[in-house]
């Protein structure tokens, strides 16, 4: 059996660590050939000692120096590079077959596109790349014959529930022609789904990052609490599955056992169920169309008390509505929404603004948007920069 080489962009993060956990379960199938991180030196050195990649890159130059120094002390022969361009170069190496795109935020865009340009299999966790420039992104996938496998658990569940013909023409196949009536996105509603709306302005970062079901990075945990995460996933789903507004449905499902569903015109609903553990969608994306062990225990139906569902309330989750509306406006709006949200979430985590101010800030940035639709990635970064600057100004 030949080992498949994987580049994990953002290996020190939550998704990166889960990807390495799946590799740990399948050491005869996969090799962590490239690991990249931002500035977490300790985690990267730990990962290098265990997985012995061929190349490492750190976005931060000082962090790269430290990693290099530690690895030398451990007599490990691993090339350590630094900077965004190095991450892009490593994603394009001919020996790399699969690229896990798990850098958080718009920072993951260039490296993911670099991997697409080389026609790699992209295991897509970085939802921001579809949110900011879905059209350009999907066109690039098509042009370079890259293979896109969604890792975000909802999109992975939907992918698993789609006919093979749609899976093989992702983003371009017509859902209606394949008998599909709706894509049903489920979301837990986050830790505040039962909190009185009037109390939401008082919630703390600690309460917001304590997600009831999933263990995730801090930014995405706050996004789950505001349901901006579902809004970003709505945008992601529309690009990934070529879905119209009428073909989308969002349901709050507090137990996170059903990870999303597909409705067919004959009344059938196909869903993917499992424990809320990212190792499952990651393993599926890595092994598709085969299956491998993910280290996730089997779902015990006898232990499930009940599965419940309700409509999302836009008064509780204004960010969700802002995201849905932004998709209708276009990519300048979705890019601005994403950038303003990143600034607002960071400010909330820093205790500069309250929880409900996140939506207020995103909305006021969107209200001031006059920039034209992007026609290139540089345009996308220009809009991103504009929205970040305005958000930062609004903060002060
Ligand atoms: P995280 O914050 O835990 O990890 C982010 C990774 O990106 C780290 O390795 C970090 O070092 C790296 N990074 C940060 N800034 C960087 C920069 N400027 N340049 C290069 N690298 C940088 O985030 P996460 O929770 O693992 O999420 C990663 C992506 O996956 C996000 O786009 C998120 O929306 C998506 N996602 C995550 C989950 C989850 O369960 N965690 C689920 C679905 C989708
Ligand atoms: Mg998700």
């Amino acid at each position: 059996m030949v080992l498949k080489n994987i580049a994990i962009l953002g290996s020190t993060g939550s998704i990166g660590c889960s990807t390495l956990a799946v590799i740990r379960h399948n050491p005869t199938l996969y090799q962590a050939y490239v690991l990249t991180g931002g500035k977490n030196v300790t985690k990267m050195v730990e990962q290098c000692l265990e997985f012995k990649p061929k190349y490492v890159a750190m976005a931060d130059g000082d962090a790269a120096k430290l990693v290099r120094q530690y690895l030398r002390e451990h007599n490990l022969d691993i090339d350590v590079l630094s900077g965004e361009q190095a991450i892009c170069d490593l994603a394009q190496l001919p020996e790399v077959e699969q690229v896990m795109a798990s850098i958080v935020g718009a920072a993951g865009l260039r490296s993911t596109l670099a991997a697409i340009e080389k026609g790699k299999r992209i295991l897509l966790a970085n939802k921001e790349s579809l949110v900011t420039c879905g059209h350009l992104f999907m066109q690039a996938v098509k042009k370079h014959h890259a293979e896109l496998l969604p890792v975000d658990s909802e999109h992975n569940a939907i992918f698993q529930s789609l006919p093979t013909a749609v899976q093989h023409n992702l983003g371009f196949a017509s859902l209606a022609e394949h008998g599909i009536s709706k894509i049903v996105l489920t979301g837990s509603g986050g830790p505040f789904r039962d909190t009185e709306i009037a109390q939401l302005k008082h919630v703390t970062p600690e309460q917001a990052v304590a997600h009831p079901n999933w263990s995730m990075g801090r930014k995405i945990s706050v996004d789950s609490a505001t349901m901006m995460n579902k809004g970003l996933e709505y945008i992601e789903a529309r690009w990934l599955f070529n879905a119209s507004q009428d073909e989308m449905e969002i349901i709050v499902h507090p137990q996170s056992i059903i990870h999303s569903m597909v409705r067919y015109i004959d009344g059938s609903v196909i869903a993917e169920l499992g424990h809320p553990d990212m190792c499952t969608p990651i393993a599926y994306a890595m092994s598709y169309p085969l299956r491998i062990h993910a280290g996730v225990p089997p779902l015990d139906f006898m232990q499930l008390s009940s599965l419940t569902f309700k409509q999302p309330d836009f008064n509780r989750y204004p960010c969700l509505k802002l995201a849905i509306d932004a998709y209708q406006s276009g990519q300048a709006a979705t890019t601005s929404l994403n950038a303003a949200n990143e600034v607002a979430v960071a400010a909330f985590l820093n205790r500069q603004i309250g929880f409900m101010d996140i939506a207020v800030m995103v909305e006021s940035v969107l209200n001031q948007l006059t920039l034209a639709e992007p026609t290139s990635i540089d345009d996308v970064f220009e809009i991103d920069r504009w929205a970040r600057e305005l958000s930062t100004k609004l903060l002060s």
Side-chain angles (χ1 to χ4, degrees):
M1 182 74 78
V2 185
L3 280 174
K4 278 200 166 71
N5 287 330
I6 303 192
I8 307 177
L9 313 182
S11 69
T12 57
S14 166
I15 293 286
C17 292
S18 297
T19 308
L20 287 167
V22 174
I23 295 180
R24 194 180 286 123
H25 274 95
N26 298 277
T28 57
L29 298 177
Y30 301 95
Q31 151 84 4
Y33 195 77
V34 169
L35 299 181
T36 84
K39 41 186 167 212
N40 189 338
V41 174
T42 315
K43 186 56 112 202
M44 181 55 85
V45 171
E46 200 182 284
Q47 294 183 342
C48 286
L49 291 174
E50 180 179 355
F51 293 94
K52 308 202 168 41
K54 184 89 178 77
Y55 298 96
V56 162
M58 301 299 283
D60 183 81
D62 292 335
K65 266 187 213 148
L66 283 171
V67 171
R68 207 174 286 129
Q69 193 180 318
Y70 281 117
L71 295 183
R72 211 177 300 131
E73 284 166 15
H74 285 95
N75 288 321
L76 274 182
D77 177 26
I78 298 172
D79 279 335
V80 183
L81 313 173
S82 74
E84 188 180 37
Q85 187 55 49
I87 296 176
C88 294
D89 293 344
L90 293 180
Q92 293 191 323
L93 286 176
E95 308 93 286
V96 167
E97 283 172 73
Q98 306 195 352
V99 175
M100 167 54 82
S102 57
I103 292 174
V104 63
L109 190 52
R110 282 199 205 278
S111 51
T112 309
L113 284 165
I116 290 173
E117 274 167 28
K118 294 294 173 190
K120 309 285 187 199
R121 173 182 283 206
I122 313 294
L123 318 176
L124 186 69
N126 177 268
K127 61 188 80 184
E128 294 86 352
S129 43
L130 277 172
V131 169
T132 54
C133 53
H135 180 68
L136 296 165
F137 189 95
M138 295 306 290
Q139 291 299 328
V141 168
K142 188 173 186 163
K143 179 174 169 199
H144 300 288
H145 306 289
E147 195 186 359
L148 199 53
L149 272 302
V151 166
D152 208 347
S153 58
E154 295 76 5
H155 306 76
N156 188 275
I158 293 160
F159 184 93
Q160 296 201 40
S161 308
L162 288 171
T164 316
V166 177
Q167 291 179 337
H168 289 174
N169 192 15
L170 208 61
F172 297 95
S174 149
L175 295 178
E177 278 172 22
H178 291 85
I180 295 160
S181 56
K182 273 187 201 295
I183 298 290
V184 187
L185 263 185
T186 56
S188 71
F192 309 132
R193 62 177 167 251
D194 298 320
T195 308
E196 257 183 68
I197 294 183
Q199 292 306 311
L200 289 177
K201 56 176 183 285
H202 303 301
V203 304
T204 64
E206 290 72 23
Q207 292 169 315
V209 299
H211 196 276
N213 308 335
W214 297 92
S215 152
M216 308 181 286
R218 280 162 68 77
K219 191 259 174 185
I220 186 174
S221 295
V222 176
D223 286 348
S224 295
T226 60
M227 273 190 101
M228 176 61 96
N229 185 48
K230 211 50 52 188
L232 299 178
E233 291 180 351
Y234 170 93
I235 299 167
E236 189 185 3
R238 290 200 58 181
W239 288 117
L240 264 179
F241 305 118
N242 186 25
S244 68
Q245 190 166 23
D246 290 343
E247 288 169 331
M248 294 292 304
E249 190 176 339
I250 300 176
I251 296 180
V252 173
H253 163 47
Q255 297 81 17
S256 301
I257 294 295
I258 296 177
H259 299 147
S260 282
M261 311 180 252
V262 176
R263 284 185 193 276
Y264 289 82
I265 49 174
D266 60 3
S268 302
V269 178
I270 301 189
E272 186 261 343
L273 285 72
H275 283 290
D277 187 327
M278 289 307 295
C279 289
T280 298
I282 291 169
Y284 179 85
M286 283 165 63
S287 63
Y288 175 82
L290 305 176
R291 299 272 178 174
I292 55 171
H293 285 285
V296 178
L299 189 61
D300 181 351
F301 286 97
M302 300 313 126
Q303 294 295 317
L304 296 178
S305 49
S306 63
L307 300 181
T308 59
F309 306 93
K310 63 180 178 186
Q311 287 279 1
D313 171 359
F314 290 145
N315 292 319
R316 177 179 297 280
Y317 304 114
C319 286
L320 178 59
K321 178 82 168 71
L322 288 171
I324 293 172
D325 291 347
Y327 182 91
Q328 288 313 115
S329 305
Q331 290 176 98
T334 54
T335 299
S336 305
L337 169 103
N338 178 63
N341 181 58
E342 282 188 31
V343 175
V345 170
F348 167 67
L349 287 170
N350 267 331
R351 296 183 162 73
Q352 287 168 275
I353 60 171
F355 182 72
M356 292 309 270
D357 297 332
I358 298 173
V360 174
M361 202 163 132
V362 172
E363 184 170 19
S364 75
V365 169
L366 285 170
N367 284 341
Q368 294 179 55
L369 173 69
T370 51
L371 298 174
E373 277 296 277
T375 55
S376 69
I377 299 302
D378 288 337
D379 290 351
V380 171
F381 278 107
E382 190 54 42
I383 298 167
D384 179 82
R385 194 159 38 240
W386 168 83
R388 273 171 215 275
E389 273 169 22
L390 178 56
S391 311
T392 312
K393 210 184 300 165
L394 288 173
L395 272 181
S396 54

